[in-house]
Amino acid sequence: MTVRLPIVVPFSPSIDEAQAPEVPFSALDTVWFQLTGTLCNIACQHCFISCGPKENRVPMMTEATVRSYLSEAAELGVRDYYFTGGEPLLHPQFWTLAESVLAVGPLTVLSNGILIDGANAERARTLFDAARYSFDLRISLDGMSAEENDPVRGRGTFEAITRGIAELARVGLSPTITVVEHRTGMGSEQSRSQFLQFVVELGLSRPRVKFMPLLRIGREAERTHGYDSALAWYSPGPVEEALAERLLCSSSRLVTEHGVMICPILLDAPGAQLAKTLRQSMTPIALRWDACRTCVVDGLSCRT
Amino acid sequence: MSDINRYAVFGGIYNNYLALTAVLDDAERRGAQETYCLGDLGGFGPHPDRVFSILQERGVMVMQGNYDHSIGNDLEDCGCGYSDPRDNHYAALSYAYTRAKTSARWRPYLRGLPSVLRRRWDQQRVLMAHGSPRKVNEFLWESSSSDRFLSRLLDEHEADILLVTHSGIPWQRQVERNRLVVNVGAIGRPANDGRTEVWYALVTVTGGRARAELIPVAYDHLRLASEMRAEGIPEEFAITIETGWWTTCLEILPAKERARGRY
Ligand code: SF4
Ligand code: SF4
Ligand SMILES: [Fe+2]
C-alpha cells in the first residue's frame, strides 16, 4: 500500500493584526536550529510540519549557515540551543555541529531515536562527557505499544524507537521521552505514571516524560481536523506577563537555511518569517495564527 | 588589619537551623568580616521560627527569596518555579508546613526584606540576587548557563560579581574581563552529590580581584532528619538529608546535573 501524503500548503495568519494578542520580546535566551529542514526518516500522521523522507521544501541547513547563526547568537548572549527537524541525525555534519554548539552553550536535540544504534549511542555518551554544558536528548514516542504508537508514527517505529532508547540507556544516558497526546485521555495522571514506569522498564535510570498537546496544523489537520477559526480564544493587546514568559516567542527564535522565524511551530507560515539576522528578529510578536491557541490555551511549551 | 576582605555568602536555609549555626561558625573561623543570606529562609526543614533569631543575633544581612516573599505575603504558593506535577506536589507539602508553622509576627520581616543587594567590594560592583538578577525564581545551573549568557546578565545589571542561590547546587565561573558568577548553593539541603554536608561560598577580594571558595560544612544532619520525621514532614525530604541525594525537584535539573545524582 502506498501512502498518499497531502501537498503541504503554506498557511497565512487567520487573525487580524488589530485583534491579535501581542507578546513583547524579553530577551534572546534560546535559539532553535531547523537543522535538517523538513527532512525526516519517517512521516508521522500527526507531524505538524509535515516532514518526511522526500520532504525538502524547507532545506537542510548548511554548515556555514549554522555556524554563522551560532556566532551571532553567542554575541547576543544566548543561553541555550536546540536542534530540531525533521530528524537532526540525518544531517551529515550532525556530530561536529553538535560539538561546536556545545563549546558555546547547552544543547538539546529533538530526535525520533530511530537512527540511534550502538555506535551513535556511544558517540552521544562521549559528547555528553566531554562537554562543559548539558547535552540533552529528547526522543518522541507516542505510545507504550506498537498498537498505540505505530498508527501515528508508522509501522515498525515502536520497535525502532524503543531500540534507540535502550541503546542510550545502555550507555547511561537518560533522554526525555516526549509523548504527543494523539488520543484523548493520554495526558491523564494515570497514563502519565504508567508511561513513567514504562520508560523505567526500557532501562532509563532517570526517567523524564513530557506530554505535549497536538498541534492541529500540517499533516495532523488531515489526520483529524484543523482549528476552528471561529473560536474566540484571544483578545487584542499585550498578553499577561506570566503568559508571555511561558511562550517561546517572547525569548526564542528559530533559525532556518532561509532566515529567522518566530518559532518552530510556524515553520510553514510565511508570515512568521522575520529577518535574515537574529539581531533584527528581536521584536514583539502578534499572535495571528490559530496554532498559537495550542500554546496559549493548551499550555504547549516546546522547551524541555 | 590587612586589605584582604572576606565575605561569607549563603542561601536556601529551608528551616535548617542546625546547618545555619554550623555555617556561621565555620565562616567566623575562616575570618569572614560580613555574612550574607540570599534568601529562602523557609523550606522543608523543621521548626521554621528558629532561624530568625539566629540570623538577627549573628548580624547576617538577609535578602528576600521566593519563599520569603510568599510566606511574608501569606500567598498560596511558594513560587519555586517547578514545572513537573510531582515536584510541585512535594513543594506544596513543605510550603504548607512552613506557612502553618511560621509565626505571624515574622511575616512583616519577611515581607520587608530587600529583593536585591548591591555592594562595592574593593572597587568591584557586587550584585546579590536570589535566582537571577532578572527573576527571583530563575534557576541558574552550571551546565545550562552559557558563558555568554552570564556575561550578558553582568552587562545588563552592571555588576562585576554576581552571587545567586535558589537552584541548590553550588558552582562558580569566571567570565570575560575577570568577572565572577557564583551560585552559592543552599545550606538547607545537600547538593545531590551523595555527601551530607551543605555548601556556602567564601568570597575573598584582594587587590581588586575576587575569588570564591565553595565550602562544605558538616552539621548534625541525623538530628535534623529525626526532627523532620517527628514533625510529619514527608520521608522523601528526610532521606535527602540523610543520604545527600535529591529525591524531589529532579525534573528541573539539566541533564548533566541530573546524571550526577542517584535518581
Ligand atoms: S513528527 Fe518528528 S519524527 Fe515524525 S515526521 Fe515529524 S519530524 Fe519526523
Ligand atoms: S505558535 Fe506559540 S510560540 Fe509560536 S508565535 Fe504562536 S504562541 Fe508564540
Ligand atoms: Fe528559591
Side-chain angles (χ1 to χ4, degrees), chain A residues 34-87:
Chain A
Q34 190 69 32
L35 197 68
T36 50
T38 41
L39 189 70
C40 193
N41 47 351
I42 53 175
C44 303
Q45 294 290 312
H46 65 348
C47 187
F48 63 91
I49 48 174
S50 316
C51 296
K54 296 207 173 90
E55 196 48 80
N56 59 359
R57 68 184 194 284
V58 178
M60 189 175 287
M61 293 183 81
T62 66
E63 191 172 343
T65 310
V66 174
R67 292 194 189 282
S68 113
Y69 280 124
L70 182 61
S71 72
E72 194 196 4
E75 271 166 43
L76 292 168
V78 165
R79 183 189 56 202
D80 54 7
Y81 300 90
Y82 284 78
F83 278 178
T84 187
E87 169 53 58

Short mmCIF file of all heavy atoms in Angstrom, two decimals, chain A residues 34-87:
data_model
loop_
_atom_site.label_atom_id
_atom_site.label_comp_id
_atom_site.label_asym_id
_atom_site.label_seq_id
_atom_site.Cartn_x
_atom_site.Cartn_y
_atom_site.Cartn_z
N GLN A 34 16.59 24.71 12.71
CA GLN A 34 15.81 23.77 11.89
C GLN A 34 16.81 22.99 11.05
O GLN A 34 16.92 23.16 9.84
CB GLN A 34 14.80 24.55 11.02
CG GLN A 34 13.79 23.68 10.32
CD GLN A 34 12.78 23.04 11.28
OE1 GLN A 34 12.44 23.64 12.30
NE2 GLN A 34 12.34 21.84 11.00
N LEU A 35 17.58 22.14 11.74
CA LEU A 35 18.81 21.60 11.20
C LEU A 35 18.66 20.88 9.86
O LEU A 35 19.40 21.12 8.92
CB LEU A 35 19.46 20.67 12.23
CG LEU A 35 20.93 20.35 11.97
CD1 LEU A 35 21.79 21.58 12.16
CD2 LEU A 35 21.42 19.22 12.86
N THR A 36 17.69 19.97 9.80
CA THR A 36 17.52 19.21 8.56
C THR A 36 16.33 19.72 7.75
O THR A 36 15.83 19.01 6.88
CB THR A 36 17.32 17.71 8.85
OG1 THR A 36 16.30 17.59 9.83
CG2 THR A 36 18.60 17.09 9.35
N GLY A 37 15.89 20.92 8.04
CA GLY A 37 14.72 21.42 7.34
C GLY A 37 13.55 20.51 7.62
O GLY A 37 13.29 20.16 8.78
N THR A 38 12.85 20.06 6.55
CA THR A 38 11.70 19.18 6.74
C THR A 38 12.05 17.72 6.44
O THR A 38 11.16 16.89 6.31
CB THR A 38 10.53 19.62 5.84
OG1 THR A 38 11.07 19.98 4.56
CG2 THR A 38 9.81 20.81 6.43
N LEU A 39 13.32 17.43 6.35
CA LEU A 39 13.73 16.06 6.03
C LEU A 39 13.68 15.17 7.28
O LEU A 39 14.27 15.48 8.32
CB LEU A 39 15.15 16.06 5.47
CG LEU A 39 15.61 14.71 4.90
CD1 LEU A 39 14.86 14.38 3.62
CD2 LEU A 39 17.11 14.72 4.67
N CYS A 40 12.98 14.05 7.14
CA CYS A 40 12.86 13.11 8.25
C CYS A 40 12.93 11.69 7.69
O CYS A 40 12.61 11.48 6.52
CB CYS A 40 11.55 13.32 9.00
SG CYS A 40 11.51 12.45 10.58
N ASN A 41 13.31 10.75 8.51
CA ASN A 41 13.35 9.36 8.03
C ASN A 41 12.00 8.67 8.13
O ASN A 41 11.84 7.56 7.65
CB ASN A 41 14.45 8.57 8.74
CG ASN A 41 14.41 8.77 10.25
OD1 ASN A 41 13.69 9.62 10.76
ND2 ASN A 41 15.20 7.99 10.96
N ILE A 42 11.06 9.31 8.81
CA ILE A 42 9.69 8.77 8.83
C ILE A 42 8.71 9.90 8.48
O ILE A 42 9.14 11.04 8.30
CB ILE A 42 9.32 8.12 10.19
CG1 ILE A 42 9.58 9.08 11.35
CG2 ILE A 42 10.08 6.83 10.38
CD1 ILE A 42 9.14 8.55 12.71
N ALA A 43 7.46 9.57 8.40
CA ALA A 43 6.45 10.58 8.06
C ALA A 43 5.23 10.37 8.95
O ALA A 43 4.26 9.72 8.57
CB ALA A 43 6.07 10.47 6.58
N CYS A 44 5.28 10.93 10.14
CA CYS A 44 4.20 10.69 11.11
C CYS A 44 2.90 11.33 10.64
O CYS A 44 2.90 12.40 10.05
CB CYS A 44 4.58 11.25 12.47
SG CYS A 44 6.10 10.56 13.11
N GLN A 45 1.82 10.65 10.99
CA GLN A 45 0.50 11.15 10.61
C GLN A 45 0.14 12.46 11.31
O GLN A 45 -0.71 13.19 10.86
CB GLN A 45 -0.56 10.10 11.01
CG GLN A 45 -0.45 8.80 10.25
CD GLN A 45 -0.86 8.98 8.80
OE1 GLN A 45 -1.88 9.56 8.50
NE2 GLN A 45 -0.02 8.51 7.89
N HIS A 46 0.78 12.70 12.45
CA HIS A 46 0.41 13.90 13.22
C HIS A 46 1.49 14.97 13.14
O HIS A 46 1.49 15.91 13.92
CB HIS A 46 0.12 13.53 14.67
CG HIS A 46 1.32 13.00 15.41
ND1 HIS A 46 2.50 12.64 14.79
CD2 HIS A 46 1.52 12.76 16.72
CE1 HIS A 46 3.36 12.22 15.69
NE2 HIS A 46 2.78 12.28 16.87
N CYS A 47 2.41 14.84 12.19
CA CYS A 47 3.52 15.81 12.13
C CYS A 47 2.98 17.18 11.75
O CYS A 47 2.43 17.36 10.67
CB CYS A 47 4.56 15.35 11.12
SG CYS A 47 6.01 16.41 11.16
N PHE A 48 3.18 18.14 12.64
CA PHE A 48 2.58 19.47 12.39
C PHE A 48 3.35 20.29 11.37
O PHE A 48 2.90 21.34 10.95
CB PHE A 48 2.41 20.22 13.71
CG PHE A 48 3.71 20.54 14.41
CD1 PHE A 48 4.37 21.73 14.17
CD2 PHE A 48 4.26 19.66 15.32
CE1 PHE A 48 5.57 22.03 14.79
CE2 PHE A 48 5.46 19.95 15.95
CZ PHE A 48 6.12 21.12 15.69
N ILE A 49 4.54 19.80 10.99
CA ILE A 49 5.25 20.49 9.91
C ILE A 49 5.47 19.53 8.74
O ILE A 49 6.31 19.79 7.88
CB ILE A 49 6.57 21.12 10.40
CG1 ILE A 49 7.39 20.11 11.22
CG2 ILE A 49 6.31 22.36 11.22
CD1 ILE A 49 8.77 20.62 11.60
N SER A 50 4.69 18.46 8.69
CA SER A 50 4.63 17.54 7.55
C SER A 50 5.99 17.14 7.01
O SER A 50 6.29 17.32 5.84
CB SER A 50 3.81 18.17 6.41
OG SER A 50 2.64 18.77 6.89
N CYS A 51 6.82 16.60 7.87
CA CYS A 51 8.15 16.17 7.43
C CYS A 51 8.10 14.76 6.86
O CYS A 51 7.16 14.02 7.10
CB CYS A 51 9.12 16.19 8.61
SG CYS A 51 9.37 17.84 9.26
N GLY A 52 9.14 14.40 6.13
CA GLY A 52 9.19 13.06 5.57
C GLY A 52 10.48 12.83 4.81
O GLY A 52 11.28 13.75 4.62
N PRO A 53 10.67 11.57 4.35
CA PRO A 53 11.91 11.18 3.69
C PRO A 53 12.18 11.92 2.38
O PRO A 53 13.33 12.00 1.95
CB PRO A 53 11.70 9.68 3.43
CG PRO A 53 10.65 9.25 4.38
CD PRO A 53 9.77 10.43 4.60
N LYS A 54 11.14 12.43 1.73
CA LYS A 54 11.37 13.15 0.48
C LYS A 54 11.04 14.61 0.62
O LYS A 54 11.03 15.36 -0.37
CB LYS A 54 10.50 12.52 -0.62
CG LYS A 54 10.88 11.08 -0.92
CD LYS A 54 10.53 10.71 -2.36
CE LYS A 54 11.05 9.33 -2.71
NZ LYS A 54 10.10 8.26 -2.40
N GLU A 55 10.75 15.01 1.82
CA GLU A 55 10.23 16.36 2.04
C GLU A 55 11.37 17.36 2.18
O GLU A 55 12.02 17.43 3.22
CB GLU A 55 9.36 16.32 3.30
CG GLU A 55 8.44 17.48 3.47
CD GLU A 55 7.63 17.83 2.22
OE1 GLU A 55 6.61 17.18 1.95
OE2 GLU A 55 8.06 18.75 1.51
N ASN A 56 11.61 18.12 1.15
CA ASN A 56 12.72 19.08 1.24
C ASN A 56 12.28 20.51 0.99
O ASN A 56 13.05 21.35 0.55
CB ASN A 56 13.86 18.69 0.28
CG ASN A 56 13.36 18.64 -1.16
OD1 ASN A 56 12.18 18.88 -1.42
ND2 ASN A 56 14.26 18.34 -2.08
N ARG A 57 11.01 20.79 1.21
CA ARG A 57 10.55 22.16 0.92
C ARG A 57 11.23 23.18 1.83
O ARG A 57 11.42 24.31 1.44
CB ARG A 57 9.03 22.25 1.01
CG ARG A 57 8.49 22.08 2.40
CD ARG A 57 6.97 22.08 2.44
NE ARG A 57 6.54 22.24 3.81
CZ ARG A 57 6.58 21.27 4.71
NH1 ARG A 57 7.00 20.06 4.36
NH2 ARG A 57 6.21 21.49 5.94
N VAL A 58 11.58 22.77 3.06
CA VAL A 58 12.48 23.61 3.86
C VAL A 58 13.82 22.88 3.83
O VAL A 58 13.92 21.75 4.31
CB VAL A 58 11.98 23.78 5.31
CG1 VAL A 58 12.96 24.62 6.12
CG2 VAL A 58 10.59 24.42 5.32
N PRO A 59 14.84 23.48 3.22
CA PRO A 59 16.08 22.74 3.00
C PRO A 59 16.88 22.52 4.28
O PRO A 59 16.69 23.21 5.28
CB PRO A 59 16.86 23.63 2.03
CG PRO A 59 16.32 25.00 2.24
CD PRO A 59 14.89 24.84 2.67
N MET A 60 17.77 21.57 4.18
CA MET A 60 18.71 21.31 5.26
C MET A 60 19.61 22.54 5.44
O MET A 60 19.93 23.22 4.47
CB MET A 60 19.55 20.10 4.84
CG MET A 60 20.41 19.58 5.94
SD MET A 60 21.26 18.07 5.50
CE MET A 60 20.01 16.83 5.52
N MET A 61 20.01 22.82 6.66
CA MET A 61 20.90 23.98 6.87
C MET A 61 22.32 23.59 6.48
O MET A 61 22.78 22.50 6.78
CB MET A 61 20.87 24.40 8.34
CG MET A 61 19.53 24.97 8.78
SD MET A 61 19.55 25.53 10.49
CE MET A 61 20.32 27.14 10.30
N THR A 62 23.01 24.49 5.83
CA THR A 62 24.42 24.22 5.53
C THR A 62 25.23 24.47 6.79
O THR A 62 24.80 25.19 7.70
CB THR A 62 24.95 25.15 4.43
OG1 THR A 62 24.95 26.49 4.95
CG2 THR A 62 24.11 25.07 3.17
N GLU A 63 26.41 23.87 6.81
CA GLU A 63 27.29 24.05 7.96
C GLU A 63 27.59 25.55 8.15
O GLU A 63 27.61 26.05 9.28
CB GLU A 63 28.58 23.26 7.73
CG GLU A 63 29.41 23.18 8.96
CD GLU A 63 30.60 22.23 8.81
OE1 GLU A 63 30.60 21.40 7.88
OE2 GLU A 63 31.52 22.35 9.62
N ALA A 64 27.78 26.26 7.05
CA ALA A 64 28.11 27.68 7.13
C ALA A 64 26.97 28.47 7.77
O ALA A 64 27.21 29.36 8.61
CB ALA A 64 28.43 28.23 5.74
N THR A 65 25.75 28.15 7.39
CA THR A 65 24.61 28.89 7.97
C THR A 65 24.52 28.62 9.48
O THR A 65 24.32 29.53 10.28
CB THR A 65 23.29 28.46 7.30
OG1 THR A 65 23.45 28.53 5.89
CG2 THR A 65 22.15 29.36 7.71
N VAL A 66 24.67 27.34 9.85
CA VAL A 66 24.61 27.01 11.28
C VAL A 66 25.68 27.80 12.03
O VAL A 66 25.41 28.44 13.05
CB VAL A 66 24.81 25.50 11.51
CG1 VAL A 66 24.90 25.19 13.00
CG2 VAL A 66 23.68 24.70 10.88
N ARG A 67 26.88 27.79 11.51
CA ARG A 67 27.98 28.46 12.22
C ARG A 67 27.77 29.97 12.30
O ARG A 67 28.11 30.60 13.29
CB ARG A 67 29.33 28.14 11.56
CG ARG A 67 29.70 26.69 11.74
CD ARG A 67 31.15 26.39 11.41
NE ARG A 67 31.35 24.95 11.41
CZ ARG A 67 31.49 24.23 12.52
NH1 ARG A 67 31.48 24.81 13.69
NH2 ARG A 67 31.65 22.92 12.43
N SER A 68 27.23 30.54 11.25
CA SER A 68 27.07 31.98 11.30
C SER A 68 25.98 32.38 12.31
O SER A 68 26.15 33.34 13.06
CB SER A 68 26.86 32.54 9.88
OG SER A 68 25.58 33.05 9.74
N TYR A 69 24.89 31.61 12.37
CA TYR A 69 23.88 31.92 13.41
C TYR A 69 24.42 31.63 14.81
O TYR A 69 24.10 32.34 15.76
CB TYR A 69 22.59 31.14 13.16
CG TYR A 69 21.73 31.77 12.10
CD1 TYR A 69 21.31 31.05 10.99
CD2 TYR A 69 21.32 33.10 12.22
CE1 TYR A 69 20.52 31.64 10.01
CE2 TYR A 69 20.53 33.69 11.25
CZ TYR A 69 20.13 32.96 10.14
OH TYR A 69 19.35 33.54 9.18
N LEU A 70 25.22 30.59 14.91
CA LEU A 70 25.78 30.27 16.23
C LEU A 70 26.65 31.42 16.74
O LEU A 70 26.57 31.80 17.91
CB LEU A 70 26.60 28.97 16.14
CG LEU A 70 27.21 28.48 17.45
CD1 LEU A 70 26.12 28.18 18.48
CD2 LEU A 70 28.05 27.23 17.21
N SER A 71 27.44 31.99 15.85
CA SER A 71 28.31 33.05 16.36
C SER A 71 27.52 34.33 16.64
O SER A 71 27.79 35.04 17.61
CB SER A 71 29.53 33.30 15.45
OG SER A 71 29.12 33.92 14.28
N GLU A 72 26.50 34.59 15.84
CA GLU A 72 25.66 35.74 16.15
C GLU A 72 24.94 35.54 17.49
O GLU A 72 24.86 36.44 18.33
CB GLU A 72 24.63 36.01 15.05
CG GLU A 72 24.00 37.39 15.20
CD GLU A 72 22.71 37.59 14.38
OE1 GLU A 72 22.24 36.62 13.74
OE2 GLU A 72 22.18 38.72 14.42
N ALA A 73 24.44 34.32 17.70
CA ALA A 73 23.74 34.01 18.94
C ALA A 73 24.65 34.18 20.15
O ALA A 73 24.26 34.74 21.18
CB ALA A 73 23.18 32.60 18.88
N ALA A 74 25.88 33.71 20.02
CA ALA A 74 26.82 33.82 21.14
C ALA A 74 27.08 35.29 21.46
O ALA A 74 27.09 35.69 22.63
CB ALA A 74 28.12 33.09 20.80
N GLU A 75 27.26 36.09 20.42
CA GLU A 75 27.46 37.53 20.64
C GLU A 75 26.29 38.16 21.38
O GLU A 75 26.47 39.09 22.17
CB GLU A 75 27.59 38.26 19.29
CG GLU A 75 28.99 38.36 18.76
CD GLU A 75 28.96 38.79 17.29
OE1 GLU A 75 28.18 39.71 16.95
OE2 GLU A 75 29.71 38.19 16.50
N LEU A 76 25.10 37.66 21.10
CA LEU A 76 23.91 38.23 21.72
C LEU A 76 23.65 37.67 23.12
O LEU A 76 22.70 38.04 23.79
CB LEU A 76 22.68 37.98 20.84
CG LEU A 76 22.68 38.74 19.50
CD1 LEU A 76 21.58 38.21 18.59
CD2 LEU A 76 22.52 40.23 19.72
N GLY A 77 24.50 36.76 23.57
CA GLY A 77 24.36 36.23 24.92
C GLY A 77 23.28 35.18 25.08
O GLY A 77 22.62 35.09 26.11
N VAL A 78 23.09 34.35 24.04
CA VAL A 78 22.08 33.29 24.11
C VAL A 78 22.46 32.26 25.17
O VAL A 78 23.64 31.93 25.34
CB VAL A 78 21.90 32.65 22.72
CG1 VAL A 78 21.14 31.34 22.81
CG2 VAL A 78 21.17 33.63 21.79
N ARG A 79 21.47 31.78 25.88
CA ARG A 79 21.71 30.85 26.99
C ARG A 79 21.78 29.40 26.54
O ARG A 79 22.64 28.65 26.98
CB ARG A 79 20.57 31.01 28.01
CG ARG A 79 20.70 30.18 29.27
CD ARG A 79 19.42 30.24 30.10
NE ARG A 79 18.28 29.82 29.30
CZ ARG A 79 17.03 30.14 29.56
NH1 ARG A 79 16.72 30.87 30.61
NH2 ARG A 79 16.05 29.72 28.78
N ASP A 80 20.86 28.97 25.65
CA ASP A 80 20.85 27.57 25.25
C ASP A 80 20.32 27.36 23.83
O ASP A 80 19.71 28.25 23.25
CB ASP A 80 20.08 26.70 26.25
CG ASP A 80 18.68 27.20 26.51
OD1 ASP A 80 18.22 28.14 25.83
OD2 ASP A 80 18.02 26.65 27.41
N TYR A 81 20.57 26.15 23.32
CA TYR A 81 20.32 25.85 21.91
C TYR A 81 19.55 24.53 21.75
O TYR A 81 19.69 23.62 22.57
CB TYR A 81 21.65 25.74 21.15
CG TYR A 81 22.46 27.02 21.23
CD1 TYR A 81 23.37 27.23 22.26
CD2 TYR A 81 22.28 28.03 20.29
CE1 TYR A 81 24.10 28.41 22.35
CE2 TYR A 81 23.00 29.21 20.36
CZ TYR A 81 23.91 29.40 21.39
OH TYR A 81 24.62 30.57 21.48
N TYR A 82 18.78 24.46 20.65
CA TYR A 82 18.07 23.23 20.31
C TYR A 82 18.32 22.89 18.84
O TYR A 82 18.37 23.79 18.00
CB TYR A 82 16.55 23.42 20.48
CG TYR A 82 16.08 23.41 21.92
CD1 TYR A 82 16.24 24.54 22.73
CD2 TYR A 82 15.44 22.30 22.46
CE1 TYR A 82 15.80 24.53 24.05
CE2 TYR A 82 14.98 22.29 23.78
CZ TYR A 82 15.16 23.41 24.56
OH TYR A 82 14.72 23.40 25.86
N PHE A 83 18.46 21.60 18.55
CA PHE A 83 18.46 21.11 17.17
C PHE A 83 17.12 20.42 16.93
O PHE A 83 16.73 19.52 17.69
CB PHE A 83 19.55 20.05 16.95
CG PHE A 83 20.92 20.60 16.69
CD1 PHE A 83 21.99 19.72 16.53
CD2 PHE A 83 21.16 21.98 16.58
CE1 PHE A 83 23.28 20.21 16.29
CE2 PHE A 83 22.45 22.47 16.34
CZ PHE A 83 23.51 21.58 16.20
N THR A 84 16.45 20.80 15.85
CA THR A 84 15.23 20.11 15.52
C THR A 84 15.18 19.86 14.02
O THR A 84 16.07 20.25 13.27
CB THR A 84 13.99 20.87 16.04
OG1 THR A 84 12.82 20.09 15.82
CG2 THR A 84 13.81 22.23 15.37
N GLY A 85 14.12 19.21 13.56
CA GLY A 85 13.94 18.92 12.15
C GLY A 85 12.46 18.75 11.90
O GLY A 85 11.67 19.36 12.61
N GLY A 86 12.15 17.81 11.16
CA GLY A 86 12.86 16.65 10.68
C GLY A 86 13.64 15.88 11.75
O GLY A 86 13.41 16.02 12.93
N GLU A 87 14.51 15.06 11.22
CA GLU A 87 15.35 14.26 12.10
C GLU A 87 16.77 14.83 12.05
O GLU A 87 17.46 14.65 11.04
CB GLU A 87 15.30 12.79 11.67
CG GLU A 87 16.32 11.89 12.35
CD GLU A 87 16.27 11.99 13.87
OE1 GLU A 87 15.22 11.73 14.45
OE2 GLU A 87 17.31 12.34 14.47
#
